[in-house]
Amino acid sequence: MDHSRAPVLEALADYHEKGRLSYTPPGHRQGRGADPRVVALLGDALFRADVLATGGLDDRRSTGRVLQQAEELMADAVHADLTYFTTCGSSLSVKAAMLAVAEPGEKLLIGRDVHKSVASGLLLAGVRPVWVDPEWDPQLHFAHPPSARAFAKALADHPDAAGALVTSPTPYGGCADLAGIVRVCHERDLPVVVDEAWGAHLPFHPRLPAWAMDVGADLCVTSVHKMGSGLEQSSVYHLRGDRVDPAKLKARADLLGTTSPSVLMYAALDGWRRQMVQHGRELFDQALRSAETARQRIPLVPGLRLYGREEFCAPHRAADFDPLQLVVDLAALGTDGYQAADWLRAHRRIDLHLADHRRISAQLSHADGPDTVDALVAALRDLVDHVDELRPAADIDVPDPSGLRLEQALTPREAFFGPTEAVPAARAVGRIAAEVLTPYPPGIPAALPGERLSREVVDYLRSGTAAGMVVPDAADDSLATLRVVAD
């Protein structure tokens, strides 16, 4: 296929060359009606590119096949059979993927380290989760993706499951043994869905971890805005093989998605694919060199521990890791990630990827180079020089895995949509959660509707919130009260 083409961008250029006059949404009419103060900040080009997809960029019957051509090129670029663009983010995409492989009431094997969007999908679909526990590093209090062995055991215990969903890479960069998980599931002819939101870059350089389609996964969801050049909310589905019906996937996506997709996002997705096919290897050569430089320099800063292959890859840990995710442990400094992230933003104008009870994380991409690595290292040195301002570390009650693992007493849908009540946090212990409680970022729920709350999890969330953890989906953001299933 001709990857020098970008059908969406070409159609957008043609739209303006022909001087089309629109009497359709968007009402700003390519910026003519936009507030000049907004245009001054956002630019004319943004509004000029914001046109209607059907009946604007393409005709009312989409006879130009603009979007379809762009999707076919993307599929070819990443060795998928089919690709679909979406503009509602992978939070929607993963829901549609779940609905495409499991019917309401059916079981789905799911790694318990999923994003909150998967939990939302369970609420909407009525799918019954069979949780597969992550691998746990007790010394670092750090979770890695579930193993193929754990999925095999879950399948043996639940042979009626409709398929499996696994998150890889994790937001911290840990990669599951996807080939092993696919092998285990395909032995029973079950589909594997991979939430690969953090893996848009993986197909485009051989020194990056293997990605879902190349190890035989059936359906993959990718957030191109996270590690690629997509705009926020840009997401794609990649499909391979015949275990997932593409018509069914499209119908589920149509059920959840918008009828007013953003041409801006389509254009950025189209341009990203062309950029990667033509220049991805050299861009990620640069990014990997930058990551290696950072990995050499950050450990020289006193008190900082940078996680690498030794921390990620060993028996009962991850199968691989993304070297572009720089996870820095602050435990030796006697402070926590929440305070460190806030200090770096306030004093060095540095915004980090993740922060938790003992770590901060910086994400490099193909856009990074020596200047951004220099800025990061200088900021970390400054943080260490001022760490006395951040001590002591907040007292956060982080449970061991046994304390984090909660009993699934009801399905998420039953608990969320049934009668509920708010009770003081201390009285919520032993009650069944009726809300999603998710420290964010990275957005992995600590408790889900239908799970019986333990003392350990309640203490963790309460002490974490007091220390600066954000739990944005709680009805009471102070966590003084928790929403539980009514007695």
Side-chain angles (χ1 to χ4, degrees):
M1 301 185 77
D2 182 2
H3 284 281
S4 68
R5 294 200 56 214
V8 176
L9 292 165
E10 292 163 9
L12 192 55
D14 181 72
Y15 181 93
H16 291 302
E17 286 170 7
K18 286 188 167 63
R20 294 193 180 280
L21 188 60
S22 168
Y23 294 92
T24 71
H28 60 71
R29 299 293 193 266
Q30 286 70 67
R32 297 196 309 273
D35 186 327
R37 295 166 295 183
V38 178
V39 175
L41 180 63
L42 298 183
D44 291 319
L46 182 143
F47 285 98
R48 279 177 53 78
D50 187 29
V51 304
L52 203 65
T54 303
L57 187 75
D58 206 340
D59 64 28
R60 65 182 178 85
R61 293 183 295 172
S62 298
T63 58
R65 298 186 69 251
V66 174
L67 178 60
Q68 290 84 351
Q69 289 180 67
E71 290 172 334
E72 288 165 5
L73 283 162
M74 179 74 85
D76 183 70
V78 299
H79 316 132
D81 293 342
L82 294 169
T83 291
Y84 301 109
F85 291 0
T86 68
T87 64
C88 295
S90 290
S91 294
L92 179 140
S93 302
V94 76
K95 296 180 182 71
M98 293 168 62
L99 290 166
V101 300
E103 303 290 342
E106 287 189 323
K107 294 178 182 177
L108 187 65
L109 307 184
I110 308 175
R112 185 55 181 82
D113 57 340
V114 291
H115 188 264
K116 62 178 285 186
S117 57
V118 173
S120 301
L122 293 171
L123 300 179
L124 293 170
V127 170
R128 295 180 175 272
V130 175
W131 297 117
V132 184
D133 290 333
E135 297 289 327
W136 181 256
D137 184 330
Q139 281 73 45
L140 298 179
H141 279 88
F142 194 56
H144 297 285
S147 66
R149 180 183 62 258
F151 273 93
K153 182 180 184 308
L155 266 179
D157 294 341
H158 299 273
D160 55 341
L165 187 152
V166 60
T167 303
S168 181
T170 69
Y172 290 94
C175 299
D177 175 12
L178 290 181
I181 294 169
V182 166
R183 182 172 59 254
V184 163
C185 293
H186 283 185
E187 285 173 355
R188 296 175 181 259
D189 200 30
L190 296 178
V192 177
V193 177
V194 181
D195 180 353
E196 205 165 50
W198 291 100
H201 57 313
L202 298 184
F204 300 108
H205 200 284
R207 285 172 49 206
L208 292 169
W211 90 290
M213 293 290 97
D214 281 350
V215 296
D218 302 279
L219 178 56
C220 171
V221 172
T222 299
S223 295
V224 178
H225 65 95
K226 284 187 168 69
M227 292 294 288
S229 295
L231 299 176
E232 283 292 307
Q233 293 187 207
S234 301
S235 177
V236 294
Y237 308 88
H238 298 299
L239 192 63
R240 196 171 188 183
D242 57 6
R243 290 183 181 85
V244 178
D245 181 356
K248 190 173 182 180
L249 174 62
K250 190 173 186 303
R252 301 307 188 263
D254 287 346
L255 181 69
L256 299 172
T258 178
T259 57
S260 304
S262 169
V263 164
L264 285 164
M265 294 185 203
Y266 285 163
L269 286 168
D270 200 20
W272 151 257
R273 181 268 315 156
R274 181 175 63 182
Q275 180 188 29
M276 284 297 100
V277 172
Q278 293 182 336
H279 306 294
R281 179 66 177 264
E282 63 198 74
L283 287 170
F284 280 105
D285 276 340
Q286 170 190 290
L288 288 164
R289 283 194 300 270
S290 298
E292 183 57 33
T293 300
R295 289 185 173 280
Q296 292 169 358
R297 294 174 63 187
I298 291 173
L300 299 179
V301 181
L304 301 185
R305 177 179 181 178
L306 180 64
Y307 290 0
R309 188 162 294 279
E310 178 182 350
E311 287 78 12
F312 276 100
C313 303
H316 305 293
R317 295 185 189 172
D320 203 347
F321 83 110
D322 182 355
L324 299 181
Q325 301 288 359
L326 304 176
V327 181
V328 181
D329 195 312
L330 308 173
L333 295 178
T335 190
D336 59 77
Y338 306 122
Q339 294 184 79
D342 291 345
W343 190 93
L344 286 166
R345 178 176 168 84
H347 296 279
R348 293 302 300 251
R349 302 183 302 280
I350 294 284
D351 291 326
L352 292 174
H353 172 206
L354 295 176
D356 66 21
H357 67 285
R358 64 183 286 174
R359 285 168 287 262
I360 52 177
S361 170
Q363 164 204 326
L364 299 186
S365 80
H366 63 291
D368 286 293
D371 55 339
T372 57
V373 169
D374 287 347
L376 175 63
V377 174
L380 292 174
R381 285 200 184 106
D382 200 17
L383 172 72
V384 171
D385 289 343
H386 292 82
V387 74
D388 286 343
E389 301 172 18
L390 307 180
R391 292 184 175 128
D395 186 15
I396 304 172
D397 300 319
V398 181
D400 288 327
S402 59
L404 284 170
R405 191 68 167 90
L406 301 177
E407 173 199 352
Q408 190 76 46
L410 295 173
T411 68
R413 185 180 177 89
E414 289 168 336
F416 186 82
F417 288 108
T420 66
E421 60 182 339
V423 300
R427 287 174 42 207
V429 174
R431 301 288 297 274
I432 299 172
E435 61 183 339
V436 184
L437 297 170
T438 310
Y440 211 99
I444 298 168
L448 291 166
E451 291 183 332
R452 193 176 301 279
L453 293 166
S454 68
R455 168 66 62 190
E456 292 92 336
V457 165
V458 171
D459 288 348
Y460 164 57
L461 290 169
R462 293 271 289 149
S463 61
T465 301
M469 176 194 291
V470 178
V471 186
D473 39 18
D476 175 359
D477 57 13
S478 73
L479 298 195
T481 62
L482 297 175
R483 187 153 292 280
V484 298
V485 174
D487 282 338

